Amino acid sequence: MTAEVMAANDTHWDPALSKLIASLKEAESLSNDQEIDFLQTLLESKELNALVNVHSKVAKVGKDDRLAPILSTSGMIMCEVLEQLSQQCHLNEDCREAFHLLQKPHLHSLLYAHDAIAQKDFYPHLPDLPIEMDEDEETIKIVQLVKSNEPLGATIKTDEESGKIIIARIMHGGAADRSGLIHVGDEVIEVNGINVEGKTPGDVLSILQNSEGTITFKLVPSDGRGAQRESKVRVRAHFDYNPEVDPYIPCKEAGLAFQRGDILHIVSQDDSYWWQARRESERTARAGLIPSRALQERRIIHERTQREIGDGESKKNDDFDRELIATYEEVAKLYPRPGIYRPVVLIGAPGVGRNELRRRLIARDPEKYRSPVPYTTRPMRTGEVAGREYIFVSREKMEADIEAGKFIEHGEYKGHLYGTSAESVKSIVNAGCVCLLSPHYQAIKALRTVQLKPFLIHIKPPEFDELKKTRTDSRAKSTFDESNARGFTDEEFTDMIKSSVRIDFLYGHFFDEEILNADLVTAFEKLVNIVQRVETEPLWAPSSWVQ
């Protein structure tokens, strides 16, 4: 017996593969086709046999009690456990260790593989078999739904070529979607016995609105349909949206209103102009229509163009990128890591009090909260100590370091350069401390990187009257005149408010939180609570930071 035959006999082939191999051997005797040789080599490979054996084992899940999974949502449960553990990490060493172990990628992959098998998500999704029928005969399906206060969850349109009324969109989680009987592309023949041939979508909508009790649809099924599968994309909205005032939305009742900063679950992006989404806080709600990123970008560009035409000229804003159009930003939960804290960045108009809030937080726990010592090219003043107030360097040295990208933010004031080095921020983070920054608002985009993963807070002033009263009562001193200790002027209060509005307009979508600094004690309490959340809770952040 040859070695080749012995090796083949020693291999435990899958029965189905063995039959195929035998059939190929018979065909090989009649033909020397190279393709048959290739198939035989493939079918005899150890890799394919291992995959077939795994498939056979997986297919037995549920048939053998010993292999039946206890649950099918272990990945979701793991996320919930992480949420609970994150709140105890700073109190209990065991919780911290479990929190760290549960974030291991290998464990994540194992649990998601388990859930896919438990949910039988490994079977291929094949189209329905065609139903044999006469050439001139159409398949008709009759669907009955019980009408309630809830919208049907489907939109209709007139087909441009045939003029027929068809189902244009099925809203995830709506009544039509839950029924599993109505699909995109189905042709509507009758509604409650009323023939809709020649009618408009508005006519059909009127029939539905005037119907009571059970609604009966007579439909011609679409040629190709597949089950709607929800995407897992989450985004943070960077603008406000109200479908009630949107003249272009296909169906106002199907729209989803939201505000800037809301976290949305994008369940479908099949339509290039209208996405389906629900608020992350309303996981079981029916999805609604929102403008897609492409559609919203086109709207913003159109509005800017019209505004420029109205102004009679094209105005360029030095601190705002025209290419940067804020629509949606894909986000994911960023879990805190023990001993590695995200930098906290306080942004606000000059004089609003962000530096005072930073100083109070450092004074509360100097060992935990620290700020990097800034660099400057101005001469050292009497009473200053190098490395305490500033790190004093020559202009040539600082300009060279700026050119080399060593500063995360820098600027010039009264002929002298000031800035914060990236290395000083990293050293504070690596030391296990919380780095506190209060830079100029133009530094936001330079700071908001995957390396730093900062948490941005906008410190905002109250309305003019309250701003003036609170600063006068607390005898706050103006920060605009270093040589003269005095109170703020009305003009400085007005400029502070205008500057805050401008910051919100240009960069408001980047902020993770806002603090209204009317009463300093209240504002500081809110800052402390926010910082504690950043240290202990999983929070939404750009998905690129998580991946």
Side-chain angles (χ1 to χ4, degrees):
M1 185 179 289
T2 65
E4 181 181 357
V5 175
M6 288 177 63
N9 288 340
D10 288 341
T11 303
H12 299 289
W13 303 110
D14 179 85
L17 290 181
S18 297
K19 290 181 181 180
L20 287 173
I21 292 171
S23 299
L24 285 175
K25 287 184 181 296
E26 293 178 4
E28 187 179 20
S29 63
L30 302 175
S31 172
N32 292 322
D33 195 339
Q34 292 182 347
E35 293 182 357
I36 293 179
D37 293 337
F38 168 76
L39 285 174
Q40 182 172 338
T41 302
L42 175 65
L43 294 174
E44 291 178 347
S45 67
K46 293 182 179 180
E47 292 83 359
L48 180 61
N49 276 269
L51 287 172
V52 172
N53 286 331
V54 170
H55 177 271
S56 299
K57 296 289 186 183
V58 169
K60 292 180 181 179
V61 172
K63 298 178 181 178
D64 188 339
D65 291 339
R66 294 173 300 173
L67 297 175
I70 297 176
L71 50 85
S72 62
T73 57
S74 59
M76 186 180 299
I77 292 174
M78 178 192 65
C79 292
E80 293 175 357
V81 171
L82 281 171
E83 293 256 10
Q84 296 295 324
L85 287 175
S86 67
Q87 301 174 19
Q88 302 295 324
C89 284
H90 62 295
L91 301 175
N92 187 290
E93 181 65 30
D94 293 337
C95 288
R96 189 181 302 112
E97 183 178 1
F99 182 79
H100 180 69
L101 290 173
L102 286 176
Q103 294 185 75
K104 295 290 185 181
H106 296 87
L107 181 59
H108 280 216
S109 299
L110 176 63
L111 293 180
Y112 290 136
H114 169 276
D115 290 350
I117 294 173
Q119 297 169 15
K120 299 188 182 299
D121 196 26
F122 48 83
Y123 289 115
H125 298 276
L126 300 176
D128 294 338
L129 292 174
I131 301 174
E132 295 183 2
M133 63 181 74
D134 294 336
E135 291 184 2
D136 297 331
E137 182 182 354
E138 278 189 321
T139 299
I140 299 292
K141 63 179 178 181
I142 297 176
V143 179
Q144 288 188 325
L145 298 177
V146 178
K147 186 176 181 181
S148 64
N149 294 329
E150 176 189 6
L152 178 63
T155 61
I156 56 176
K157 67 178 182 181
T158 302
D159 185 83
E160 294 181 357
E161 296 182 0
S162 65
K164 297 176 180 178
I165 299 293
I166 62 173
I167 302 296
R169 186 181 290 103
I170 300 294
M171 308 307 295
H172 283 256
D177 181 35
R178 294 197 304 272
S179 74
L181 302 172
I182 302 177
H183 303 91
V184 173
D186 287 353
E187 178 191 346
V188 183
I189 303 296
E190 292 182 2
V191 177
N192 281 357
I194 302 174
N195 191 306
V196 300
E197 183 178 358
K199 296 187 181 299
T200 67
D203 296 333
V204 178
L205 181 61
S206 297
I207 296 173
L208 291 172
Q209 291 174 338
N210 294 326
S211 301
E212 295 182 359
T214 301
I215 301 177
T216 303
F217 294 91
K218 186 179 286 187
L219 307 168
V220 176
S222 61
D223 294 333
R225 66 173 185 269
Q228 295 192 107
R229 306 188 72 180
E230 287 192 357
S231 80
K232 298 180 179 179
V233 176
R234 267 72 174 177
V235 300
R236 177 184 280 115
H238 284 176
F239 63 101
D240 297 338
Y241 178 68
N242 181 4
E244 294 296 328
V245 297
D246 187 347
Y248 304 107
I249 190 169
C251 176
K252 294 185 186 299
E253 292 77 9
L256 175 70
F258 58 81
Q259 293 182 321
R260 187 182 74 180
D262 285 351
I263 303 298
L264 305 176
H265 177 187
I266 307 297
V267 299
S268 174
Q269 294 173 300
D270 294 339
D271 192 307
S272 58
Y273 292 111
W274 296 100
W275 290 350
Q276 294 187 37
R278 62 170 66 95
R279 293 184 189 84
E280 178 64 14
S281 58
E282 301 173 352
R283 298 184 181 181
T284 60
R286 172 182 62 86
L289 294 182
I290 65 172
S292 69
R293 177 180 282 111
L295 176 58
Q296 186 61 22
E297 286 178 351
R298 288 173 62 178
R299 285 178 169 178
I300 294 174
I301 292 173
H302 176 73
E303 289 173 1
R304 289 183 184 175
T305 303
Q306 294 300 312
R307 189 159 51 242
E308 289 173 355
I309 293 174
D311 291 342
E313 61 178 341
S314 177
K315 297 180 179 179
K316 181 177 179 181
N317 195 323
D318 292 335
D319 56 3
F320 183 63
D321 293 333
R322 285 175 49 83
E323 307 84 42
L324 184 62
I325 301 176
T327 55
Y328 306 102
E329 181 177 40
E330 187 170 345
V331 294
K333 280 291 184 71
L334 180 61
Y335 287 84
R337 293 174 294 170
I340 303 179
Y341 299 109
R342 297 172 63 184
V344 175
V345 183
L346 307 181
I347 300 291
V352 76
R354 69 189 193 282
N355 288 320
E356 178 61 27
L357 288 170
R358 176 175 59 86
R359 282 193 290 267
R360 290 194 177 203
L361 193 56
I362 293 174
R364 188 172 185 266
D365 190 347
E367 294 300 316
K368 184 175 184 179
Y369 302 105
R370 299 181 184 177
S371 285
V373 179
Y375 283 67
T376 185
T377 60
R378 74 162 171 77
M380 189 188 307
R381 296 172 180 169
T382 304
E384 291 183 333
V385 177
R388 186 180 66 186
E389 287 84 7
Y390 291 96
I391 296 175
F392 298 94
V393 295
S394 67
R395 190 177 187 91
E396 293 75 18
K397 167 66 174 171
M398 191 161 175
E399 287 179 342
D401 288 346
I402 290 173
E403 185 68 23
K406 294 183 179 181
F407 283 83
I408 58 175
E409 60 102 8
H410 59 86
E412 187 166 354
Y413 180 69
K414 292 186 177 181
H416 302 296
L417 296 175
Y418 295 83
T420 304
S421 74
E423 191 58 38
S424 61
V425 174
K426 292 177 183 177
S427 64
I428 291 175
V429 174
N430 293 337
C433 301
V434 180
C435 181
L436 300 179
L437 299 168
S438 56
H440 190 276
Y441 65 83
Q442 288 179 328
I444 288 177
K445 286 185 288 183
L447 287 167
R448 204 169 180 264
T449 64
V450 64
Q451 292 78 20
L452 291 178
K453 298 180 176 64
F455 190 90
L456 275 65
I457 305 173
H458 188 189
I459 310 299
K460 304 176 74 172
E463 296 294 333
F464 180 88
D465 290 342
E466 187 176 5
L467 177 62
K468 182 175 181 178
K469 182 179 186 304
T470 54
R471 271 43 176 187
T472 302
D473 291 347
S474 62
R475 297 181 180 178
K477 300 301 180 184
S478 172
T479 57
F480 299 98
D481 189 352
E482 295 181 359
S483 60
N484 182 24
R486 60 173 176 80
F488 289 92
T489 64
D490 286 0
E491 183 180 0
E492 288 172 343
F493 286 138
T494 301
D495 290 343
M496 195 186 302
I497 293 172
K498 288 181 178 179
S499 179
S500 180
V501 171
R502 179 176 179 76
I503 292 171
D504 186 72
F505 173 74
L506 296 177
Y507 303 105
H509 52 281
F510 287 138
F511 293 116
D512 298 288
E513 280 282 1
E514 293 181 350
I515 295 178
L516 186 68
N517 189 15
D519 174 65
L520 188 58
V521 174
T522 304
F524 181 68
E525 289 178 355
K526 185 173 182 179
L527 175 61
V528 170
N529 291 332
I530 291 173
V531 172
Q532 288 177 344
R533 285 181 51 231
V534 176
E535 297 170 13
T536 59
E537 296 181 17
L539 301 173
W540 294 105
S543 57
S544 59
W545 296 5
V546 179
Q547 296 169 356

